[in-house]
Amino acid sequence: MPTFSESILAALSKHTGANSGALKLESPRDPALGDVAFPCFVLAKERKQPPPALAAELAAKLAGEFDDIAVVATGPYLNFRVARPRLAREVLGAVEAAGARFGGSSEGAGKTVVIDYSSPNIAKPMHVGHIRSTILGASLVRIFRHLGYRVVGVNHIGDWGAQFGGLVVALRRWKSQVDLERDPVMGLLDLYQRSKEALKSDEQFQREAVAAYQELESGREGEVRELWRWVTEVSLRGFNATYKRLGIAHEHVRGESWYEPLLQATLERVKAAGVTEISEGALVVMLGEVDKGLKATPCLLQQSNGTTLYATRDLAALFSRWEEFAFERCLYVVGGEQKLHFRQLKAVLQRMNEAWAARVEHVDFGMLLGPGRVKIASRKRGEVLVLDDLIDECVEEAAKVIEEKNPGLSTKAQVAEQVGIGALVFNDLKRERIKDVIFDKREFLAFEGDTGPYLQYTHARLASILRKALASGDAALGAEPDFTALENAGEILLRIARLGDVTRAAAAKAEPSELSQYALSLAREVSTWLTQPENRVLGSEPRAGAARLALVRAAKATLGIALSLLGMAAPEEM
Ligand code: ARG
């Protein structure tokens, strides 16, 4: 049987002669008007008819077409309302049939999206920008994958640059004075900070640092390379422990150093395109002619002493990604501070006439701040933020709330981990990414309000209804559902049906908040519906109960998928 949208499109096509693929249905601005609307503007223009006249004419013609879809003309719109039993049968059937794939699609089949996210710097803990990048990027990876794209998540680790010369010398001098065994990330940070000081005040240290970086750049094996490699491994081990807790695994961990062998070819390629100039001995690309705003900020690719830069390595990475993946989109989930950098990269591609420049996007985001908009400090280490510590703090706090609300829960520790992380993640994804995020544990860990725990709790509540139905052998379980019992659940059903559109919008705009807001609306609607006494699920008339149970099952599945696309667990009990 065709879905209601297909039936409507087929009937519209029959009466207008337009190809049904060219006709677009939308959601009415006011849900009271109908379930879907057809705006008549385009068609009316083609026929040189006023849109309201066309709407009225079509409404009359379509009236006899369906027995379970009502149609009315409201100004220039046709509004359709689907009888609830049909809507329920269709939507609940679709959720059931698709299972975990519900809301997914094949729009991405054969297409690759590269997502550069997290990308911390070694020898330092992740800072707040990396935290947001990690959470946003991980969600985008899941969203694109749900739509059938091949997703290549890349961790572009900052493991190259002159600062590593200093770090190598610091390791030589002070390795024994810091505790690198017990807490390597903090030990390295200590050395890193000492090296920064020494670079300012100690000439001998400076000379050694320059020599060490030259040695590193030369690619020769030996003491320097070994020390650098060791630092990289220690740092990665620390990052990986955190990724594991968050359920994240990059497809490629390619630090900046990975592109080192490609740098000469990259410089040659840009030179061959005829877009480079020498300015004060340095190799630059002037960008004003493709982007007026960049007139005064050319892209610097090689300094007069031959050293390459962050931008050179990013350009090498872009070429290599394009050649390897022929990506549909290449997203950089990096904070707003690097706006200029990514704008320059794109402009270099434009100057080189690379047609794929438009596929490169900087997915930027606002800051993560403490309550009162001050810099966040961690309880353990003050100014220096370690993502793992933040997670620990949230999990501890979640454990307290769970202890209070459900002391008998057998999976307490696991659920506390899920809820603590879920709260942190949801807080980050709740609003449009460009807005700043306030890290206020008390607020985002609450079980009520627009929080992650609220969504997880709603999911667990739906799960508990299903469990109870099974445990009590509810008569609804074997009954044929009577969908007239869902007369008042139209909004929920339509919301569920929209998951696919919302997921596509989230991908198109690289904006997980589309899904977080969707999940909040769905949870609120279902919770309200469940509190109304006439919607009693358990122990009610069996056929009505069966319809309501089916709704509960579908709402749970849909909410669960939305949570998983955001990167949150959906506990069965909490
Ligand atoms: N490591 C960089 C930083 O911490 C972020 C790298 C982002 N990715 C990139 N391809 N530039 O600032």
Side-chain angles (χ1 to χ4, degrees), residues 116-122 124 127 130 133 154-159 256 310 313-314 317 321 332-334 337-338 341-342 345:
D116 183 316
Y117 72 105
S118 194
S119 304
N121 302 319
I122 62 167
K124 287 195 275 186
H127 61 62
H130 299 125
S133 170
V154 187
N155 203 350
H156 190 81
I157 306 262
D159 63 357
E256 292 185 38
Y310 180 53
R313 292 185 285 277
D314 248 334
R321 286 172 194 180
Y332 289 89
V333 188
V334 184
E337 330 76 68
Q338 295 194 28
H341 169 72
F342 289 107
L345 275 188

Side-chain angles (χ1 to χ4, degrees), residues 25-27 103 147 496-507 514:
L25 298 175
E26 53 182 53
S27 296
L147 297 174
I496 290 175
R498 232 169 266 143
L499 178 66
D501 288 345
V502 173
T503 308
R504 277 191 292 278
E514 293 279 330

